[in-house]
Amino acid sequence: MSYQPVIGLEIHCELLTDSKVFCSCANDFGGGENTRVCPRCSGMPGTLPLLNQNAVRLAAKAGFAVDCTVNNYSAFDRKNYFYPDLPKAYQITQFEHPICTGGYIDVCTGRRIRINRIHIEEDAGKLVHDDYEGVSMADYNRCGVPLIEIVTEPDFRSAEEVRDFVSMIALRLKYAGVCDARMEQGSLRVDVNISIMPEGSGVFGTRAEIKNLNSLKSITRAIEYEIKRQSEILDGGGKVVQETRRFNDNHGDTKALRSKEEAHDYRYFPEPDIPPVFITDDELEEIKSSMPVPPHIRKARYINEYKLSEDDAQLIISDKEFSDFYDGAVEIYPDYKLTSSIMLVELNRLLNDSGKTAGDLAFSPRKLAELVKMTAEKKVSNNAAKEVLKIMFEHGGSPEQIAEERGFVMSFDENAAEKAVEEVIEENAAAAGEFKNGSDKIFGFLMGQVMRKLGKGANPQIIQRILKEKLGKE
Ligand code: ADP
Ligand code: ZN
Ligand code: MG
């Protein structure tokens, strides 16, 4: 039988605050074990949590980034469970009154994925199991790291939609400065809830939850494995049980961790040590207006107003600093296509080769705009523009000055061009003869010879015209 998968996500994102959510320990990645802990985040009795206001601000920004309602009132609850990675034996989270509700992202298939809620909570520590020594060790550096959890409705119908959503939400959170969204470092982790139902049915099946996926590839593989596993159960007349499963990257399969019967009773109750959070409309307005234009809005502008291709628009927005640089340059000289092609081809090559990012550039968007203008106005040839860009990339400076000092300014001297063409034809009589018989490749070769003779300021249009005239074509 053929089945329709139904998928909902729970995404945990580490917030980019300087300190942890309820104490002043640093919120960092890496470093030695248990070097960033204090009585509060290690759960000592008698300590009191103090809410990090920047965590609240970033959670609100996350809400705005995905068109949620950010609530004026939210509150914290205790989620009780005992596990050695959580020394307090309860996690502080928002259960009844999350900071954000509603929201959505439209994915590649055109489907709208609704977001149910975003809430703030604290992360737990990490356990390191050493099978050889037969011990488990606890690293509490991650205890109290501020998280948001984004919960979607079960609106996805394919792995492709999930991948698209996760990439888009990661990019939006990066733009908003909420989270660095490094899945491989665990700063963005995805739980996939998945069920299947017979094609055409409207009744959702029983779901399994696959915990803590940390790459787009694992997400796809886990979903594909689950569709197959659940289909085989239903085809065999069995029933899928509601349970939590773990994906094994090496085997490409999922294994049951605990079933619904074994699920914890968390005994949620309001956290008595943290007052509720009130945010006024004015404060919300201020937070919203402090945010940069998000990537999807930029992409739409690039395509609809600037007439860039979808692929080029996507490439530009894939890095915020790159997109900021592009926006800065076209604001000064609005040749959208030429700026995009110089940045996506030449500048990207220089960036890739050097390992730098658009944020490290030695020249400003204004200087790039000047170079684009010189190129558009044919003050320098396309090839010379590449050379000038390379010099700007390495040493900074003004494109106009570089072009003048280094002889890149395009020559309109027809006599010099004619003389060079004549010389080249004379020196390459055989090739010139061959061209008359129709070879385009030879023409390119002869062009190159003339260009070389005339140097950096060579004017390809003039040379091409004269060369054709002299060779008797057109
Ligand atoms: P619970 O209260 O048991 O945690 P939720 O309603 O909060 O359940 O849903 C948790 C996640 O599971 C959400 O991402 C939701 O979209 C998803 N989900 C709910 N029902 C299904 C289903 N039948 N199939 C797939 N995913 C589902
Ligand atoms: Zn601490
Ligand atoms: Mg839930």
Side-chain angles (χ1 to χ4, degrees):
M1 183 137 58
S2 125
Y3 297 99
Q4 170 66 63
V6 171
I7 304 165
L9 303 180
E10 293 160 288
I11 305 176
H12 286 95
C13 314
E14 290 179 355
L15 298 176
L16 286 170
T17 55
D18 293 332
S19 53
K20 291 186 179 181
V21 63
F22 300 124
C23 65
S24 53
C25 290
N27 173 23
D28 282 328
F29 181 79
E33 292 81 4
N34 295 308
T35 52
R36 292 187 300 274
V37 283
C38 73
R40 260 186 261 175
C41 57
S42 61
M44 295 296 170
T47 57
L48 289 172
L50 184 66
L51 179 60
N52 182 332
Q53 293 303 309
N54 195 33
V56 174
R57 190 180 171 87
L58 294 182
K61 285 187 176 181
F64 288 127
V66 290
D67 294 295
C68 287
T69 302
V70 183
N71 298 312
N72 298 114
Y73 174 89
S74 63
F76 288 88
D77 300 280
R78 286 190 186 177
K79 178 181 181 177
N80 299 280
Y81 67 94
F82 176 73
Y83 197 65
D85 66 357
L86 185 72
K88 285 205 300 289
Y90 59 84
Q91 180 191 31
I92 301 178
T93 180
Q94 297 185 312
F95 185 61
E96 290 288 346
H97 301 286
I99 184 163
C100 310
T101 41
Y104 64 88
I105 289 186
D106 293 327
V107 290
C108 52
T109 52
R111 200 187 306 281
R112 174 157 295 188
I113 308 299
R114 292 165 302 157
I115 289 161
N116 172 290
R117 59 188 279 149
I118 300 179
H119 60 258
I120 304 172
E121 60 189 30
E122 58 179 333
D123 210 344
K126 250 184 197 163
L127 295 183
V128 184
H129 306 287
D130 187 329
D131 293 336
Y132 183 69
E133 297 281 354
V135 295
S136 292
M137 289 166 286
D139 177 5
Y140 292 144
N141 280 347
R142 212 177 59 185
C143 273
V145 163
L147 299 177
I148 49 170
E149 178 175 350
I150 303 168
V151 183
T152 79
E153 298 295 342
D155 286 347
F156 299 93
R157 295 294 175 268
S158 67
E160 186 199 6
E161 290 179 344
V162 172
R163 263 198 322 267
D164 195 39
F165 181 93
V166 172
S167 327
M168 282 201 273
I169 210 162
L171 192 61
R172 290 200 201 180
L173 295 176
K174 278 199 247 182
Y175 267 66
V178 168
C179 171
D180 62 16
R182 294 194 183 134
M183 292 187 81
E184 72 290 350
Q185 288 187 0
S187 63
L188 187 147
R189 316 188 279 269
V190 179
D191 299 346
V192 170
N193 296 273
I194 174 167
S195 63
I196 56 170
M197 60 186 177
E199 200 83 60
S201 159
V203 185
F204 291 176
T206 304
R207 70 178 193 266
E209 180 183 19
I210 325 298
K211 280 266 179 217
N212 276 335
L213 296 164
N214 63 2
S215 73
L216 292 178
K217 201 168 158 213
S218 311
I219 290 173
T220 306
R221 291 173 73 207
I223 290 174
E224 281 167 359
Y225 180 84
E226 272 302 303
I227 293 174
K228 187 162 162 280
R229 184 185 71 87
Q230 296 183 20
S231 302
E232 282 167 10
I233 292 175
L234 296 189
D235 285 343
K239 274 199 164 76
V240 174
V241 294
Q242 189 174 333
E243 62 191 0
T244 303
R245 300 178 70 86
R246 190 209 310 267
F247 177 69
N248 182 322
D249 235 325
N250 297 327
H251 301 164
D253 65 4
T254 67
K255 287 260 180 321
L257 276 179
R258 54 179 183 267
S259 71
K260 199 184 178 191
E261 286 71 46
E262 298 162 285
H264 307 279
D265 172 3
Y266 292 121
R267 297 176 293 119
Y268 283 99
F269 63 86
E271 165 60 61
D273 291 335
I274 303 175
V277 178
F278 292 98
I279 318 177
T280 65
D281 287 338
D282 284 349
E283 285 166 334
L284 288 178
E285 203 39 59
E286 183 275 314
I287 294 172
K288 194 173 184 179
S289 63
S290 75
M291 294 173 63
V293 179
H296 59 296
I297 303 290
R298 297 188 194 204
K299 185 176 174 184
R301 164 162 45 94
Y302 296 164
I303 295 173
N304 300 327
E305 289 175 39
Y306 298 178
K307 308 294 174 205
L308 302 188
S309 71
E310 158 136 35
D311 285 351
D312 287 354
Q314 183 63 40
L315 280 170
I316 295 174
I317 62 156
S318 66
D319 175 51
K320 175 172 178 290
E321 287 170 335
F322 196 85
S323 170
D324 286 344
F325 203 91
Y326 175 79
D327 284 353
V330 296
E331 198 183 334
I332 292 163
Y333 185 73
D335 190 328
Y336 307 118
K337 285 240 168 87
L338 188 55
T339 308
S340 137
S341 80
I342 289 180
M343 283 187 68
L344 286 177
V345 182
E346 293 312 319
L347 184 57
N348 251 346
R349 196 204 324 274
L350 294 166
L351 287 172
N352 289 340
D353 290 350
S354 63
K356 285 189 187 170
T357 69
D360 316 321
L361 286 173
F363 56 94
S364 62
R366 175 172 297 278
K367 295 295 167 211
L368 182 74
E370 286 171 16
L371 178 64
V372 173
K373 182 162 186 272
M374 286 163 64
T375 313
E377 292 174 349
K378 308 243 177 286
K379 290 216 175 92
V380 291
S381 68
N382 291 347
N383 273 335
K386 284 183 207 170
E387 300 290 328
V388 174
L389 184 68
K390 202 169 157 208
I391 294 164
M392 288 163 66
F393 187 84
E394 277 157 13
H395 310 289
S398 138
E400 216 142 333
Q401 207 178 347
I402 293 169
E404 270 169 29
E405 282 174 8
R406 310 224 184 180
F408 284 117
V409 177
M410 195 137 73
S411 155
F412 287 85
D413 183 343
E414 301 233 354
N415 293 333
E418 189 167 342
K419 187 164 161 273
V421 167
E422 281 167 355
E423 281 171 23
V424 166
I425 291 178
E426 211 176 282
E427 287 157 17
N428 300 277
E434 224 176 293
F435 174 70
K436 285 183 183 152
N437 299 327
S439 162
D440 277 349
K441 229 164 126 189
I442 294 288
F443 187 76
F445 165 74
L446 293 171
M447 268 295 289
Q449 296 298 310
V450 183
M451 298 279 287
R452 186 182 303 170
K453 223 178 244 294
L454 288 170
K456 298 164 181 167
N459 186 325
Q461 263 96 11
I462 292 181
I463 296 170
Q464 186 171 27
R465 197 188 70 230
I466 297 178
L467 188 58
K468 279 187 177 164
E469 281 167 13
K470 296 278 173 197
L471 290 172
K473 243 201 177 171
E474 170 212 67

